[in-house]
Amino acid sequence: MRRALMVLAALAAITALAWWFAETGGTIEVQVGEFWIGVGLPVAVLLLAGSFLVLHALLSGLRALRRLPARRRAARAERRRSDGDAAVTRALVALAAGTPEAARIEVRRARHLLGDTPQTLLLAAEAARLGGREDMATDAFKALAERPDARFLGLRGLLRQAMQRQDWEAAHRLAKEAEAAQPGAAWLREERQVLALRTRDWREALALSPPGGPRAALALAAAEQESDPARAAELEKQAFAADPGFAPAAIAHARRLAAAGSARKARAVLEQAWMAAPHPDIGAAWLAGTPAKLARVKALEDLTHRNADHPESRLLMARIALDAGLTGRARAELEALVAAGAADRRAYLMLAELEEAEHGDTADARAAQARWLRGAANAPGAPVWRCAACGAEHGAWKAECSACGEVGRIAWSAPASVPAAG
Ligand SMILES: [Zn+2]
C-alpha cells in the first residue's frame, strides 16, 4: 500500500516536472569550434534520462556477466551435493540390505561427489567390512580417527576390529584413546568390560560391571589375582558384601579376618553366610579349628542353630554326629530329611553307612543297607559347582568356566535334570 502510494507520488512529481518543462520551454546549446547543437529543454531532459537508462542496463549486464562463472560453480556444487546425498542414501540402503558390492559402488560415488566427510568415511569403512575388506575398513577408520570432529567414530571402528582379531593390547590402547575422546560413552563402557573379561582383568571388569552383574564372582576373582594382601582383603570383603550367600567369598573373607587376628569377626562372617546359603565348605571352614570329634558336634550346633532344619544343616550334622559315634543323632537328622522329601544321594548313602555303624555286618543291616542304596540310586544327585551357561560341572568354584569361557556363571546348584534338594 505504502509502496503504491510512493509510486503514485513519484509519477505525479514527474508529470508535474514534465509539465513545467513544457510550459517553461527554453533551449540548451552546445558549441564546439564551428559546430553548434541546440535542442529544446524537454528533448534534452528526455535524452539525458534515456542515456542514463541505457548506461544502467549496460552496467547491470556486465555485472551479471562477471558473476556468471561463480553462479554456475555454485549450481554445480549444489547439484553435486544433492547427487552425493542421494548416493549416501543408496549406500545406506545397500548396507542395510547386506549387498556389499552395491554399497561399495555407491560409497565410491558419494566420496567422489562429497569428498572425505565423516559420513562418507564411515560408510566406506562399513561397506569394506561388509565386503570382508578389513584392510580398507582400517584405512577409513584411521582417516576418521585423524579428524577431530570424528575421532571417536574412527577409534570405535578400530577398537571393534582389534577385538575381533583378538589383539587385546591394541584394543586396550584404543579403548583408552576412545575414552579420552568421548568420556563416559555407554557403548565404550560395555566394550571395555568385554575387553576386561577377555583379558581376565577382573579388577577392571568389576569396576565396569553393571549393578546386576556378577560382582561377587568378579571381586573374588580380582582378589585371587591381587598380589597386595591389603587390596586382596578389601576385594574379598567387597565380594562377601555383594553376595553373603556366595560361599567362596565368605570363606576367603573369614580366612583373611582370622589371619589378621579377628577370630570373632571371622566366625560372624561364616554364620552370616550359613544363614544366607548353607554350603558344605562353610561348615568345613567353621569346624577346621575343632579337631575333637565330640566337640565338633557342639561347634556345629553353634553354626546351624538358626536354620537347623535346612537340608545342608541336617546333612552336615548327621555327618559330624556319625563321625563322633552319635548314631542316634545322625539317624534323627537323616530320617527327618527322608520324611521331608529333601534327601539327596548323600543322605541315602549316609543312611547305608549308618546301618553298618549301628548293627555291624549282620543280615538285617545288609538288608537295610540295600534298601538305602536303592533309594540313593533314585535320589537326586548332590549339588555341584555348575556353569549356568553350558551346564559343565566343576570340582571347585572358578570365576571363568573352562568349558564355555563365560564369566561369573558357575554356581552351587543341584543337577540340572532333577529339582534341587530342599
Ligand atoms: Zn560354561
Side-chain angles (χ1 to χ4, degrees):
M1 185 66 192
R2 227 169 104 182
R3 209 184 155 95
L5 278 176
M6 277 172 76
V7 168
L8 211 65
L11 277 175
I14 290 167
T15 315
L17 203 64
W19 184 260
W20 180 71
F21 277 136
E23 283 293 296
T24 313
T27 316
I28 286 179
E29 296 176 2
V30 178
Q31 187 174 5
V32 181
E34 291 192 356
F35 292 99
W36 177 89
I37 304 166
V39 283
L41 183 64
V43 179
V45 169
L46 263 174
L47 275 173
L48 205 66
S51 48
F52 172 76
L53 281 175
V54 168
L55 199 67
H56 180 73
L58 212 66
L59 285 174
S60 296
L62 271 174
R63 206 164 51 228
L65 216 63
R66 213 173 50 236
R67 280 192 192 154
L68 195 62
R71 280 168 68 176
R72 286 178 68 173
R73 266 202 308 279
R76 217 164 35 232
E78 179 56 38
R79 203 164 50 239
R80 282 172 79 89
R81 194 157 48 240
S82 74
D83 286 353
D85 286 345
V88 164
T89 306
R90 286 194 299 273
L92 282 170
V93 170
L95 279 176
T99 47
E101 190 53 27
R104 202 178 55 80
I105 291 169
E106 293 302 341
V107 166
R108 202 168 56 197
R109 193 170 294 155
R111 272 179 99 171
H112 172 69
L113 290 166
L114 300 175
D116 280 352
T117 68
Q119 290 92 328
T120 57
L121 283 171
L122 188 62
L123 280 174
E126 293 302 332
R129 291 201 76 192
L130 187 65
R133 298 294 307 271
E134 290 292 334
D135 51 335
M136 283 168 69
T138 304
D139 290 344
F141 284 137
K142 276 185 181 157
L144 269 174
E146 275 161 19
R147 298 176 61 108
D149 57 345
R151 184 163 167 71
F152 181 72
L153 278 176
L155 291 172
R156 179 185 191 271
L158 291 172
L159 173 58
R160 262 187 350 189
Q161 285 189 310
M163 290 188 69
Q164 210 161 51
R165 62 173 188 270
Q166 310 208 334
D167 181 352
W168 306 125
E169 204 176 310
H172 207 77
R173 181 174 50 74
L174 287 163
K176 268 197 184 142
E177 286 181 36
E179 177 70 36
Q182 192 87 18
W187 171 85
L188 192 59
R189 196 183 163 85
E190 283 169 28
E191 216 63 5
R192 278 175 61 203
Q193 216 220 343
V194 171
L195 183 61
L197 292 177
R198 293 273 173 82
T199 52
R200 289 149 189 82
D201 184 351
W202 306 130
R203 184 179 263 280
E204 167 96 342
L206 174 68
L208 295 166
S209 171
R215 298 186 65 83
L218 288 172
L220 185 60
E224 286 174 358
Q225 224 171 32
E226 184 60 63
S227 54
D228 176 17
R231 281 212 292 263
E234 184 50 44
L235 285 164
E236 283 161 1
K237 189 176 171 184
Q238 215 175 318
F240 176 66
D243 182 4
F246 179 46
I251 292 165
H253 183 38
R255 190 182 300 136
R256 190 82 62 175
L257 286 170
S262 311
R264 203 175 50 79
K265 278 188 191 165
R267 289 170 69 81
V269 164
L270 291 177
E271 273 182 302
Q272 196 186 334
W274 189 270
M275 272 303 287
H279 186 285
D281 291 351
I282 299 173
W286 179 268
L287 294 169
T290 316
K293 287 182 174 173
L294 270 173
R296 284 163 79 86
V297 176
K298 177 72 189 69
L300 187 60
E301 275 171 352
D302 292 343
L303 177 66
T304 63
H305 70 276
R306 276 184 296 177
N307 54 354
D309 296 342
H310 193 283
E312 292 296 336
S313 293
R314 288 197 185 283
L315 263 174
L316 188 57
M317 184 51 83
R319 179 77 261 163
I320 298 301
L322 186 56
D323 289 346
L326 304 178
T327 51
R329 176 72 189 270
R331 183 175 289 281
E333 300 289 356
L334 294 172
E335 285 183 349
L337 276 178
V338 175
D344 64 15
R345 195 163 295 148
R346 291 171 297 172
Y348 283 102
L349 290 175
M350 223 186 301
L351 276 162
E353 191 185 334
L354 184 62
E355 295 298 340
E356 197 179 340
E358 273 188 331
H359 308 295
D361 189 14
T362 62
D364 279 356
R366 277 199 297 275
Q369 251 182 343
R371 199 172 71 242
W372 294 129
L373 289 174
R374 271 200 304 281
N378 296 323
V384 285
W385 289 111
R386 182 189 312 282
C387 172
C390 73
E393 291 180 10
H394 299 271
W397 176 84
K398 280 177 278 186
E400 184 184 11
C401 173
S402 51
C404 71
E406 286 282 326
V407 172
R409 302 298 302 276
I410 296 178
W412 182 250
S413 59
S417 53
V418 189

